[in-house]
Amino acid sequence: MGHPFPLREIARQAGLSEATVDRVLNGRGGVRESTAREVHRAIADLDRQRTQVRLVGRTFMVDIVVRAPERFTTAVRAALEAELPALHPAVVRSRFHFRETGPVAEQVATLDRIARRGSQGVILKAPDVPEITAAVGRLIAAGIPVVTLVTDLPASGRLAYVGIDNRAAGATAAYLTGQWLGDRPGNVLTSLSSGFFRNEEEREMGFRSVMRARHPQRTLVETAEGQGLDATQYDLVRAALERDPEIRAVYSIGGGNNATLRAFADLGRECAVFVAHDLDHDNTRLLREHRLSAVLHHDLRHDLREACHEVMRHHGALPPAGPVLPSAIQVVTPYNMPTTTAG
């Protein structure tokens, strides 16, 4: 694999020793396949970021640790890399640690590896559980600031949270769902990927509060732990539809929307209103096809720019600023889609 990067730069990007990288690049063997993939991934990351690497300025190595479906992590990577040139004269280099699922212990191990080897900052999307909170504490003790992305860890001592006001987003979804259902009868399915992500819990609370106040006659039917993955989401939604023949609408908090729509179709059921989150590549396509009513979207590029600025402020590279304000919640329909989306 040809590349123009010094060995030490690849090693730094991959978080591995120069000797290990050398063994991989020269095919000497004795290296696990997963380690070899990390080296090649590091070279690919450097190649995408090469315009940023050439800039003159202070360099910050930032680790992006996210547990989410591939459609979301792809959007995170693209948003951050699109923002990198705008951060000059500072140079922000990024290492990505993405997982769709897996035990909390795996994400804790990733955070602890970062604490041992060092980083200028961590941008983190993780479940709000004691093990993660403790791992964030170890990063902070090692002098590494942590910024939470999309979902918060308020008890962790993190530097800042970037993202929307999730309770307000849930309330907005309830308002739209109630308006569009109008006087038609029907219950509403709320779908979470996991009960351990604070953002999903807050969205559900905002949604439930407004529905209870404005539409108390409607029953809310919850599904959870589908991890936002189509393979697991389908069975959960189909079982809910079979139990409750009155479900007519969906508020998808955690994703897996292809599977949800397929479950409705396979049972010959109409989904009259479907409100989802994020213009990832799946939701962009579904919205264009008019299979979603609306997507509650926020600008990931703005969020990641703010996260990088917070890391830079922590290190004194930018002047202090006030608290990070929540990102704007955009209500996107098939008729006002942004000109550039993840689709």
Side-chain angles (χ1 to χ4, degrees):
M1 181 178 185
H3 60 84
F5 307 109
L7 194 67
R8 66 179 180 279
E9 287 298 322
I10 300 170
R12 186 180 184 207
Q13 183 73 25
L16 299 168
S17 70
E18 292 184 26
T20 298
V21 172
D22 183 68
R23 291 172 71 85
V24 171
L25 296 181
N26 290 289
R28 295 200 178 96
V31 179
R32 285 189 308 234
E33 184 179 342
S34 60
T35 302
R37 284 199 301 270
E38 287 181 23
V39 171
H40 295 304
R41 190 161 52 240
I43 294 171
D45 288 344
L46 284 169
D47 192 54
R48 280 193 303 273
Q49 299 169 33
R50 76 163 69 208
T51 57
Q52 181 71 359
V53 171
R54 286 200 297 265
L55 294 172
V56 176
R58 189 167 171 185
T59 299
F60 298 88
M61 180 63 78
V62 177
D63 289 271
I64 321 301
V65 183
V66 175
R67 179 176 144 189
E70 178 273 337
R71 61 181 179 272
F72 183 78
T73 56
T74 296
V76 167
R77 184 193 292 269
L80 178 60
E81 292 181 343
E83 280 300 307
L84 292 181
L87 296 170
H88 70 279
V91 178
V92 176
R93 298 264 302 282
S94 49
R95 294 184 293 225
F96 298 97
H97 314 268
F98 294 158
R99 286 187 178 276
E100 285 199 314
T101 58
V104 168
E106 290 182 356
Q107 206 166 22
V108 168
T110 297
L111 297 175
D112 285 342
R113 280 197 301 273
I114 294 168
R116 288 193 300 270
R117 77 183 179 204
S119 176
Q120 273 71 56
V122 171
I123 300 173
L124 175 63
K125 179 185 183 293
D128 186 8
V129 295
E131 298 92 329
I132 294 289
T133 297
V136 170
R138 292 190 289 274
L139 284 164
I140 294 168
I144 301 171
V146 176
V147 177
T148 51
L149 174 70
V150 176
T151 184
D152 201 8
L153 302 167
S156 67
R158 50 66 173 153
L159 180 64
Y161 161 72
V162 293
I164 58 173
D165 179 333
N166 285 293
R167 190 182 288 261
T172 302
Y175 174 78
L176 295 173
T177 301
Q179 290 290 105
W180 284 333
L181 278 177
D183 295 330
R184 289 176 290 176
N187 298 332
V188 182
L189 181 74
T190 61
S191 172
L192 292 82
S193 73
S194 171
F196 293 105
F197 285 101
R198 178 170 286 267
N199 66 327
E200 296 192 15
E201 179 184 56
E202 290 175 345
R203 291 173 186 177
E204 194 273 340
M205 289 168 64
F207 186 84
R208 187 174 294 276
S209 174
V210 171
M211 291 298 291
R212 187 184 298 120
R214 296 175 62 92
H215 308 284
Q217 78 281 10
R218 297 197 189 278
T219 299
L220 303 185
V221 180
E222 181 180 306
T223 64
E225 304 308 320
Q227 308 305 319
L229 302 175
D230 288 343
T232 46
Q233 183 73 3
Y234 178 85
D235 291 338
L236 289 170
V237 173
R238 180 166 181 141
L241 293 175
E242 288 172 341
R243 288 193 303 269
D244 188 336
E246 301 304 315
I247 294 173
R248 298 280 186 277
V250 173
Y251 174 36
S252 174
I253 299 170
N257 301 327
N258 282 313
T260 296
L261 287 165
R262 192 168 74 251
F264 272 87
D266 288 352
L267 292 174
R269 298 272 290 276
E270 178 199 17
C271 183
V273 178
F274 197 134
V275 179
H277 278 271
D278 300 322
L279 277 179
D280 56 42
H281 51 75
D282 281 356
N283 286 345
T284 296
R285 176 179 54 79
L286 293 172
L287 197 59
R288 283 179 177 146
E289 295 170 356
H290 291 242
R291 299 174 71 195
L292 299 180
S293 308
V295 170
L296 301 182
H297 181 62
H298 62 286
D299 186 349
L300 263 179
R301 286 184 60 169
H302 169 271
D303 290 348
L304 287 157
R305 181 169 65 249
E306 286 297 312
C308 290
H309 284 168
E310 286 298 307
V311 170
M312 293 160 70
R313 287 189 187 101
H314 175 84
H315 292 287
L318 288 176
V324 178
L325 298 176
S327 302
I329 301 168
Q330 304 170 31
V331 179
V332 183
T333 72
Y335 302 101
N336 70 329
M337 293 180 68
T339 53
T340 351
T341 69

